[in-house]
Amino acid sequence: MARTRVPHGDGDGHGDTGIAGAPRRRRTRHVGRGASAAGLMLTISFVGLAACTADPPLPTPTPLPSSPASTAPPPTPVPPPPVLEPSGAPESIAADLDAPWSILVLPNGGVLVSQRDRGDIVEVLADGSHRVAGTVPGVAAGGEGGLLGLAFLPGDGARADQVYAYHTADSDNRVVRMPLAGAPGSLSLGGSEPVLTGIPRGGANHNGGRIAFGPDGLLYVTSGDAGNRDAAQDPASMSGKILRVTPDGAAAPGNPFGNAVWSLGHRNPQGLAWDANGELWAAEFGQNTWDELNRISRGANYGWPIVEGVAGDPRFVDPVVQWSTSEASPSGLAVIGDTLFLASLRGERLWTIAPATSGASLAATPWFVEELGRIRDVAAAPDGALWLITNNTDGRGSPRDGDDRLYRVPLAAAG
């Protein structure tokens, strides 16, 4: 079946079209939508300084308290994990999913998938069938909004295992949690409890929606600018941010602005993943020109809406990798071994970026270009393979028989 090509207002958080540029292109102030397109370009570079304009002072994060100097010997370096890459064709392991958005692999081997428009969380069974494990109440689906990211928190004796979900409600975006019961094959979710509310929602897009627990045990949440571009630079707003909160939704200790904000200057951040060094990575939708892969640090400012892509402006952190918007529309992100796996919607491909823990230049490689359609999320499978879900039934793709699907991709050491 022929695929419908959607203009770059395809709901994936962009403007009108992708735009090409030279590998060391400078980006100045972003002035609006509708730049013309001329080819494709993948850029992995850092450039010289761009001219600064007379912008208002940028928010300054508070410093971390200093700690006493340690006399302990430095830790012994640990060799990085292997760089991995696909070693075979994707294998369909579940079909007929309805606008799936997030894959959640549980420690006990269970697999849950959120369905954006229905508000259902389905369990994928060993034979490829799926059943509803629970329905999140209050989901207000529309545009890019609905039931989005999922995360898992193990119980602590006083509390059962919990599944966290990010969803669009009538007046905001929010994170809720639900107790998880049962064994794989009969998983069930209890009633939902609000954890973090009041995240601004967009009219149709820029809702963010990824959530994940980090190595520090805290919950990280991506929020889009919700159509209010300037809010991305306001540390008092939860729009256009990566948030960091406790499992109960309170601002985490050590946050740079004394609230839930961890980093700012984001347009519509998506996938979250940590590498073997414990560093946080995030994928981000650009507007007309550059999609981004960013290394996230405390209090860092990633420039939106003042800049888009690599700008060489010392006030902002440049992306580590950028793509023309027609090559990416980045969504879910996973780290397996020393490789970042990035799902791409409009680009209809899987990107691998490696080595994640190296300070040197990273190599980005596309896989399965236009073979599966739009790819929404990726996750590490229990057997060491990669799982990915397509997203052709969300109103912006061209569904084929059996779409949408959960696929297994075998991995092997690169080279």
Side-chain angles (χ1 to χ4, degrees):
M1 181 175 183
R3 258 184 223 95
T4 302
R5 289 292 181 186
V6 188
H8 218 74
D10 67 328
D12 295 324
H14 299 82
D16 297 327
T17 58
I19 187 169
R24 297 177 64 83
R25 177 184 180 94
R26 292 184 176 185
R27 295 294 301 160
T28 55
R29 291 182 60 87
H30 184 81
V31 295
R33 305 166 71 93
S36 61
L40 304 177
M41 179 64 66
L42 166 70
T43 304
I44 309 174
S45 63
F46 295 90
V47 298
L49 301 183
C52 296
T53 57
D55 292 304
L58 298 175
T60 302
T62 59
L64 282 171
S66 59
S67 57
S70 173
T71 58
T76 302
V78 177
V83 171
L84 302 175
E85 64 183 18
S87 61
E91 172 195 359
S92 176
I93 57 176
D96 297 315
L97 295 165
D98 188 349
W101 211 90
S102 181
I103 309 167
L104 180 59
V105 181
L106 300 170
N108 65 4
V111 182
L112 299 175
V113 174
S114 60
Q115 297 193 130
R116 187 193 67 187
D117 298 337
R118 290 180 177 270
D120 291 338
I121 298 175
V122 298
E123 180 185 9
V124 178
L125 306 180
D127 63 0
S129 62
H130 38 89
R131 51 177 290 277
V132 175
T135 299
V136 179
V139 172
E144 292 175 359
L147 177 58
L148 305 177
L150 301 177
F152 172 77
L153 183 68
D156 59 5
R159 177 181 291 160
D161 292 347
Q162 302 283 317
V163 170
Y164 285 64
Y166 183 112
H167 76 86
T168 307
D170 286 335
S171 59
D172 63 356
N173 287 303
R174 55 182 53 198
V175 178
V176 300
R177 63 185 172 198
M178 298 152 284
L180 175 68
S186 60
L187 297 173
S188 63
L189 295 166
S192 68
E193 173 190 6
V195 172
L196 181 63
T197 62
I199 302 170
R201 57 166 291 176
N205 51 27
H206 302 195
N207 287 296
R210 294 286 169 191
I211 57 176
F213 281 96
D216 55 8
L218 297 168
L219 181 65
Y220 291 74
V221 180
T222 71
S223 67
D225 68 11
N228 179 4
R229 301 177 355 151
D230 292 340
Q233 288 292 323
D234 179 1
S237 169
M238 287 195 286
S239 290
K241 307 295 191 299
I242 293 176
L243 310 173
R244 176 177 176 260
V245 298
T246 69
D248 294 325
N255 280 3
F257 303 104
N259 56 12
V261 173
W262 183 245
S263 63
L264 72 163
H266 299 287
R267 183 174 181 273
N268 194 21
Q270 290 286 301
L272 295 171
W274 285 263
D275 64 27
N277 288 339
E279 290 198 88
L280 174 59
W281 296 80
E284 183 161 345
F285 288 121
Q287 176 147 310
N288 294 326
T289 313
W290 299 118
D291 289 329
E292 302 177 359
L293 177 67
N294 289 300
R295 187 184 280 114
I296 304 299
S297 57
R298 176 186 183 272
N301 190 330
Y302 293 84
W304 179 257
I306 300 169
V307 297
E308 178 184 0
V310 173
D313 187 324
R315 299 173 299 168
F316 308 116
V317 177
D318 280 337
V320 177
V321 184
Q322 66 180 21
W323 294 266
S324 66
T325 52
S326 59
E327 290 181 297
S329 295
S331 190
L333 183 68
V335 174
I336 308 176
D338 207 22
T339 302
L340 292 145
F341 293 87
L342 177 64
S344 292
L345 290 160
R346 187 181 179 218
E348 296 189 359
R349 66 200 69 185
L350 172 74
W351 285 99
T352 59
I353 305 99
T357 59
S358 172
S361 297
L362 289 87
T365 306
W367 302 83
F368 317 125
V369 178
E370 297 185 351
E371 292 181 20
L372 307 174
R374 294 158 54 85
I375 302 176
R376 173 63 76 176
D377 197 18
V378 287
D383 63 357
L386 174 77
W387 281 347
L388 63 85
I389 49 173
T390 58
N391 203 196
N392 298 314
T393 60
D394 69 347
R396 303 185 184 103
S398 296
R400 315 169 204 194
D401 289 343
D403 274 350
D404 275 313
R405 295 176 180 268
L406 173 66
Y407 288 90
R408 177 186 181 273
V409 178
L411 303 177

